Amino acid sequence: MTDLDHDHELADRLRRTLTAVAETVDSTDLGGSPQADSAPAGGRWRGPAVLVAAVTLAAGAAATGWVLGRASAPAQVASARTDEIAAPGATTTSTVDDEVSVAPAAERRSRCRAEFARAGALNAEAGIPNATPSGTRHDVEFVHPSGDTTILMISSTSLFACTLPDRGGTVLDPNVYELDLAAPGSDDITVDAIWWTSGPGTTGPGQVFVAGRAGDGVESVEVVLPDETAADVDARSGWYAVLVDVPADVGIFEERMHWTTSDGAMHDRRADLLDEETPDEACAARPGCVEDEVARLLEEAETAEYRRAAAVLRDGRVTDTEWDTVRAVYVACLRSTGVDIRFENDLFITSGGPLPADGDGGVAVAPPEAPECDEPYGLVAEAHGLLDAERRLTED
Amino acid sequence: MIGVRSELAQAAEIEAAYARERARLVRLAYLLSGSRELAEDVVQTVFAEVHERWFYIDDPPAYLRRAVTNRVRDTQRRQYRRPRSLAVATVTGDVEIDEMWARVQQLGPAQRAVVVLHFYEDLSLVEVSRLLGRRPATVRSDLHRALHILKRRLE
């Protein structure tokens, strides 16, 4: 029992809820024994042969992420490739079926379409207006170098991504994602789906795929990687899809998206992302908004941990983006506790003036009393340590 | 012969652990992930991987719980930006419980893990922090934040 349990009603309700929901996992399905048998999955030990397949599928699922919405943080990329992507508006034919024993292409497409319809129905059920995609729909199917197949279903109001890992056999395990019905502004883009097979814990190079819709006036979309490698595609059809190769052990947590509009202007999504990471005054004025924002940023701090790990693994350096992010998280957290703080000219400045610099003349990160900000402080301190080490290395 | 006997003994122990622990672990994975399919796969994978180190594990139930929790978290890290539905789905038929479950599912992975491990597995915050490999202060902060969010959303 902790003092946090003092809200007995909430604690009791949580316990009852978790117990009741756990019990909905039918106990009759959860018996079984680890004896090899030929019974289908559903609680029975699946036997050695089937077990191997299950492990492969799980590993595939773990290494594959589909994400809707904004993405974050760049990663080092060895090279870019767009040749596997069909031209916008086109429909490609999978070449996997001829080479690997997987479910027929028609069956896979059918499964994705069913999921597409189900997602639309769920949205409608949830009361989301215009849940049914409308307008002309493009179905585009293409094969990743890994063999995974991706089907994009694009309408004027939505982009639905469905990927089918190529693991052999007839098991279909699509990663499907909800529809994003927010249309981009006329000169804007949306990032609707991000998928990657690289990142911490993986053993080989992977691919990163980004897809979304483009508003009227957007001519091309470009993903710019930290080493300045760029992969760009035409977006005049109203959508884009970019696939790039990435090295092992590097996660993709932020896309740097540039897009060009018909007037020749270049737009930069990264600038938008950074702007959004600090609660603004309007948010501060809305009850609960700052807390939500801080919760979101702290959730993303886990990503920062990954970035830091990736940076250390790479060459002991921390990038500006990592520094920007952990700093923004820290500042947001302190603000949520009532501390008036901002970051300016490499210093954290409170109402009492700049926090004292450390003995080496580096950026000070001494935290005001705010235990709930321990975690972001730790990230800031560690990022600062890396920056400081890098600075000394450069000076030497 | 000794090697064969050891392997047989190990197989029997794992079989017993599977029969004894699987239901509990699938339920835990389900509460952490919200997906029955993922829960089943995670537990199956953990048991498949445990063979090689079985005899080195002091406390199998605790080890399996940690392995399942970490594997679910690994998956969630790769999917953390998936939008969470605001809809209250019918899971148990009890409106109050279904509503709370919907709100729990909207929590971030870290907060959700702390809530499930503390309130369902009945672990102390120190035990939760050891299991998750996070500082006790951070776990405490996560729980505080999660309860605050749940309370506000339920209001």
Side-chain angles (χ1 to χ4, degrees), chain A residues 351-384:
Chain A
S351 53
L355 296 179
D358 65 20
D360 295 322
V363 180
V365 288
E369 270 307 307
E372 56 269 60
C373 300
D374 278 357
E375 185 169 348
Y377 166 64
L379 294 172
V380 166
E382 197 148 340
H384 172 227

Side-chain angles (χ1 to χ4, degrees), chain A residues 2-5 7 10-11 13-27 29-35 42-46 51 54-55 57-58 61-72 126 175-178 196 198-202 253 287-288 291-292 294-295 298-300 302-303 305-307 333 371-372 374-375 378, chain B residues 11 14-16 18-19 22-24 26-28 30-31 36 38 40-42 44-45 47-49 51 71 73-75 77-87 91-92 94-101 104 106-111 115-116 118-120 122 125 134-135 137-145 147-154:
Chain A
T2 76
D3 59 339
L4 293 170
D5 293 327
D7 190 337
L10 182 60
R13 194 170 163 189
L14 265 171
R15 287 194 179 93
R16 275 188 286 118
T17 296
L18 295 171
T19 303
V21 170
E23 284 171 359
T24 64
V25 180
D26 188 354
S27 60
D29 285 344
L30 295 177
S33 93
Q35 295 293 331
R44 304 291 295 170
W45 183 259
R46 302 172 194 178
L51 185 59
V55 171
L57 270 171
T64 303
W66 269 109
V67 189
L68 274 178
R70 295 189 302 106
S72 56
N175 295 297
V176 290
Y177 292 85
E178 293 174 76
W196 64 88
S198 63
T202 58
F253 298 109
E291 287 86 345
D292 281 345
V294 169
L298 288 173
E299 190 178 320
E300 292 189 358
E302 285 205 344
T303 302
E305 285 179 324
Y306 266 98
R307 293 180 196 171
C333 186
E372 56 269 60
D374 278 357
E375 185 169 348
Chain B
I14 294 175
E15 180 177 341
Y18 185 84
R22 182 170 182 274
R24 179 179 71 89
V26 171
R27 286 175 176 143
L28 171 63
Y30 173 56
L31 291 176
R36 292 179 193 214
L38 177 69
E40 296 244 357
D41 274 343
V42 161
Q44 195 80 4
T45 303
F47 270 101
E49 290 177 346
H51 278 86
R71 191 164 278 276
R73 286 175 75 212
D74 281 350
T75 307
R77 277 181 172 137
R78 293 171 170 83
Q79 299 182 331
Y80 73 106
R81 283 175 186 277
R82 182 186 294 194
R84 298 165 196 136
S85 169
L86 296 175
V91 177
T92 65
D94 181 320
V95 176
E96 195 180 64
I97 284 175
D98 287 349
E99 187 185 9
M100 175 63 96
W101 174 235
V104 168
Q106 288 162 15
L107 293 173
Q111 292 171 2
V115 164
V116 169
H118 183 58
F119 288 109
Y120 178 70
D122 217 18
L125 293 187
R134 297 161 74 94
R135 290 198 302 271
T138 307
V139 166
R140 188 183 180 78
S141 165
D142 276 339
L143 183 60
H144 182 82
R145 210 173 291 123
L147 294 177
H148 180 72
I149 290 170
L150 287 172
K151 201 168 181 179
R152 209 178 61 239
R153 286 181 181 159
L154 288 167

Side-chain angles (χ1 to χ4, degrees), chain A:
Chain A
M1 177 72 73
T2 76
D3 59 339
L4 293 170
D5 293 327
H6 283 171
D7 190 337
H8 294 300
E9 193 184 337
L10 182 60
D12 285 349
R13 194 170 163 189
L14 265 171
R15 287 194 179 93
R16 275 188 286 118
T17 296
L18 295 171
T19 303
V21 170
E23 284 171 359
T24 64
V25 180
D26 188 354
S27 60
T28 59
D29 285 344
L30 295 177
S33 93
Q35 295 293 331
D37 66 32
S38 57
R44 304 291 295 170
W45 183 259
R46 302 172 194 178
V50 186
L51 185 59
V52 170
V55 171
T56 311
L57 270 171
T64 303
W66 269 109
V67 189
L68 274 178
R70 295 189 302 106
S72 56
Q76 297 256 345
V77 172
S79 63
R81 59 185 304 158
T82 55
D83 55 308
E84 299 290 336
I85 304 283
T91 299
T92 61
T93 304
S94 167
T95 57
V96 169
D97 300 331
D98 298 332
E99 299 166 15
V100 187
S101 172
V102 295
E107 189 183 339
R108 283 180 287 161
R109 280 194 291 272
S110 164
R111 176 66 180 267
C112 277
R113 287 204 180 91
E115 296 290 349
F116 181 61
R118 193 178 63 85
L122 282 175
N123 277 342
E125 248 179 58
I128 296 171
N130 305 315
T132 308
S134 60
T136 308
R137 230 182 65 192
H138 301 280
D139 289 359
V140 184
E141 178 178 338
F142 62 90
V143 181
H144 292 266
S146 63
D148 293 353
T149 302
T150 293
I151 299 174
L152 294 179
M153 296 174 183
I154 304 142
S155 77
S156 58
T157 58
S158 66
L159 183 146
F160 177 74
C162 177
T163 187
L164 300 162
D166 165 29
R167 306 295 174 216
T170 56
V171 177
L172 286 170
D173 184 23
N175 295 297
V176 290
Y177 292 85
E178 293 174 76
L179 308 173
D180 182 353
L181 296 161
S186 62
D187 288 342
D188 201 2
I189 64 167
T190 63
V191 180
D192 293 319
I194 297 174
W195 168 96
W196 64 88
T197 56
S198 63
T202 58
T203 54
Q207 289 86 41
V208 172
F209 170 80
V210 185
R213 283 161 298 127
D216 294 339
V218 178
E219 298 213 318
S220 64
V221 172
E222 182 179 55
V223 176
V224 183
L225 303 159
D227 61 356
E228 299 308 318
T229 301
D232 65 299
V233 289
D234 190 297
R236 282 172 295 187
S237 63
W239 65 275
Y240 66 91
V242 185
L243 184 69
V244 293
D245 289 341
V246 294
D249 291 328
V250 174
I252 296 296
F253 298 109
E254 183 177 343
E255 81 288 16
R256 281 174 64 188
M257 309 287 293
H258 292 173
W259 63 100
T260 308
T261 44
S262 51
D263 59 3
M266 177 75 91
H267 305 260
D268 185 343
R269 185 173 178 82
R270 181 170 175 248
D272 294 347
L273 293 179
L274 292 178
D275 285 348
E276 288 172 13
E277 282 175 347
T278 304
D280 57 24
E281 288 181 8
C283 178
R286 286 198 301 275
C289 179
V290 171
E291 287 86 345
D292 281 345
E293 180 71 359
V294 169
R296 183 181 71 75
L297 290 169
L298 288 173
E299 190 178 320
E300 292 189 358
E302 285 205 344
T303 302
E305 285 179 324
Y306 266 98
R307 293 180 196 171
R308 189 185 66 236
V312 171
L313 277 175
R314 201 154 58 224
D315 53 10
R317 296 173 57 152
V318 61
T319 68
D320 285 347
T321 302
E322 289 158 350
W323 177 232
D324 288 345
T325 304
V326 296
R327 205 179 59 221
V329 170
Y330 181 55
V331 167
C333 186
L334 288 177
R335 282 182 177 174
S336 76
T337 67
V339 176
D340 177 17
I341 188 169
R342 66 185 190 280
F343 184 79
E344 208 171 276
N345 299 326
D346 270 3
L347 287 173
F348 289 98
I349 301 172
T350 65
S351 53
L355 296 179
D358 65 20
D360 295 322
V363 180
V365 288
E369 270 307 307
E372 56 269 60
C373 300
D374 278 357
E375 185 169 348
Y377 166 64
L379 294 172
V380 166
E382 197 148 340
H384 172 227
L386 285 171
L387 285 169
D388 196 35
E390 189 179 327
R391 190 178 300 127
R392 289 182 198 184
L393 206 62
T394 311
E395 286 168 0
D396 290 346

